[in-house]
Amino acid sequence: MATFNSESSGTDIVWPCSVTQKSKNKLIALAKVQKLKEHQSFHRTSLDYSVIYVQSGYLNLFIPSEEMESIIGSVVQSGQWCTTELPSFPHNPLNIAALNDAEILVFEGEKIKKLIEGVPEVNMWLSNCRNQCSQRLLHSSFLAKKDKTALLAHVLCSLCSSERNKTNTISISQNQLSDLLGLRRQSINELLQVFQFNKLIKLGRCKIDVCNLKHLNEVAESKRKLSIVKPRKHGCENGSEKSGFEPFTTEEHQSHCLLPGEKLQPDY
């Protein structure tokens, strides 16, 4: 890891709370620059925690689990902070991996502790970094338990709304989304097909074009109904079958055009 430019005033860094310039300079002096390639994991250099600031790119921050569907993950994008340990998850060290090529600043916990002894204000900065990280994971955990559709929409909105994203195109594969959300690739594909059928997105090779960010946000907030598509099988000329998707019939559509998480009511 390279040393960050200690002469920088830190004006390009988005700080999680208001701290004095003196504290900023002290923290910047601790920072180490590290570049992560796509899919590369961040490895701590000590047993202590680390605080990470994302300079560019996207990170996948998640609590690992043996059961894929139990993974809690969140996107950390440029301008945001995260940590490798949280008081709210004391027995679950957090894993961090790059969703695409990323550049990060690393602040080692051992050095932060020493700095806090001389500059108590730094403790407020540390608490705010942890709170940001914790809130992101708790929100993802809530959506994962309540509504997978809203969770996927929330992640796509987060990736699309990055200040560095000027084209509404998200460079991400379905496998990456699967790892990020703890959902099987088939489930991710089916949800994306629903989004595409509703003209929220357009799928490409390892990319997703967001066609209607406003409506996608409404799905993330469980405020928009979606027309549902279902798997179908096509007969091919050679007699084989090809999988695909098609809209429900009128009767099926009336029954399945629901808000995310909404259940069908019996027709008495």
Side-chain angles (χ1 to χ4, degrees):
M1 286 188 289
T3 303
F4 188 58
N5 180 12
S6 59
E7 296 181 357
S8 171
S9 64
T11 52
D12 292 336
I13 295 177
V14 181
W15 296 91
C17 60
S18 178
V19 291
T20 63
Q21 189 61 49
K22 177 183 176 181
S23 296
K24 291 179 182 179
N25 291 340
K26 293 280 188 182
L27 284 165
I28 289 169
L30 302 182
K32 300 288 186 181
V33 180
Q34 183 173 352
K35 293 184 178 181
L36 298 175
K37 294 293 185 181
E38 184 177 340
H39 302 310
Q40 183 180 349
S41 296
F42 169 75
H43 297 288
R44 289 184 285 181
T45 56
S46 69
L47 296 177
D48 217 332
Y49 68 87
S50 296
V51 175
I52 293 173
Y53 177 76
V54 184
Q55 288 269 80
S56 63
Y58 300 99
L59 302 183
N60 177 11
L61 172 72
F62 63 98
I63 300 174
S65 172
E66 292 182 0
E67 296 182 7
M68 185 175 186
E69 299 288 345
S70 299
I71 293 175
I72 301 173
S74 177
V75 175
V76 187
Q77 59 192 40
S78 56
Q80 294 182 336
W81 300 79
C82 63
T83 64
T84 56
E85 288 183 4
L86 287 173
S88 51
F89 300 95
H91 305 296
N92 298 93
L94 305 179
N95 284 12
I96 295 172
L99 284 171
N100 54 12
D101 292 352
E103 182 174 292
I104 61 176
L105 299 183
V106 182
F107 303 78
E108 296 177 357
E110 187 176 344
K111 295 179 179 179
I112 293 172
K113 290 175 183 176
K114 292 180 180 178
L115 182 58
I116 289 175
E117 293 175 3
V119 189
E121 183 185 32
V122 171
N123 195 41
M124 179 177 67
W125 161 82
L126 177 60
S127 296
N128 276 271
C129 290
R130 285 172 168 168
N131 286 339
Q132 273 194 13
C133 190
S134 180
Q135 288 173 7
R136 227 174 273 124
L137 284 171
L138 289 172
H139 182 63
S140 294
S141 176
F142 171 76
L143 288 178
K145 292 177 181 178
K146 179 185 176 185
D147 187 350
K148 308 288 188 185
T149 305
L151 175 61
L152 177 57
H154 170 72
V155 167
L156 294 180
C157 287
S158 297
L159 293 171
C160 185
S161 300
S162 168
E163 292 182 0
R164 299 177 185 271
N165 189 345
K166 306 297 183 183
T167 63
N168 279 7
T169 296
I170 304 167
S171 298
I172 194 168
S173 68
Q174 293 187 28
N175 283 334
Q176 288 175 305
L177 284 172
S178 176
D179 293 340
L180 175 62
L181 300 178
L183 295 175
R184 302 188 187 284
R185 190 182 182 284
Q186 181 181 353
S187 300
I188 292 290
N189 180 259
E190 290 174 357
L191 289 173
L192 290 174
Q193 293 290 345
V194 171
F195 288 0
Q196 181 167 255
F197 180 75
N198 284 268
K199 300 181 179 179
L200 303 178
I201 64 171
K202 182 178 179 181
L203 298 174
R205 184 174 179 81
C206 293
K207 71 174 185 176
I208 299 171
D209 293 320
V210 176
C211 305
N212 196 322
L213 183 58
K214 178 184 176 183
H215 288 177
L216 192 62
N217 265 307
E218 290 173 357
V219 174
E221 296 171 359
S222 299
K223 294 180 179 178
R224 169 163 288 271
K225 292 184 177 182
L226 294 176
S227 299
I228 312 299
V229 293
K230 63 180 180 180
R232 69 178 174 187
K233 291 183 178 180
H234 300 282
C236 297
E237 291 182 1
N238 59 5
S240 63
E241 292 183 332
K242 180 181 178 182
S243 62
F245 292 85
E246 65 180 354
F248 280 111
T249 63
T250 302
E251 293 77 11
E252 289 172 327
H253 177 270
Q254 290 173 348
S255 298
H256 290 80
C257 189
L258 305 171
L259 284 170
E262 186 179 357
K263 295 182 178 179
L264 285 172
Q265 299 298 320
D267 185 14
Y268 297 108

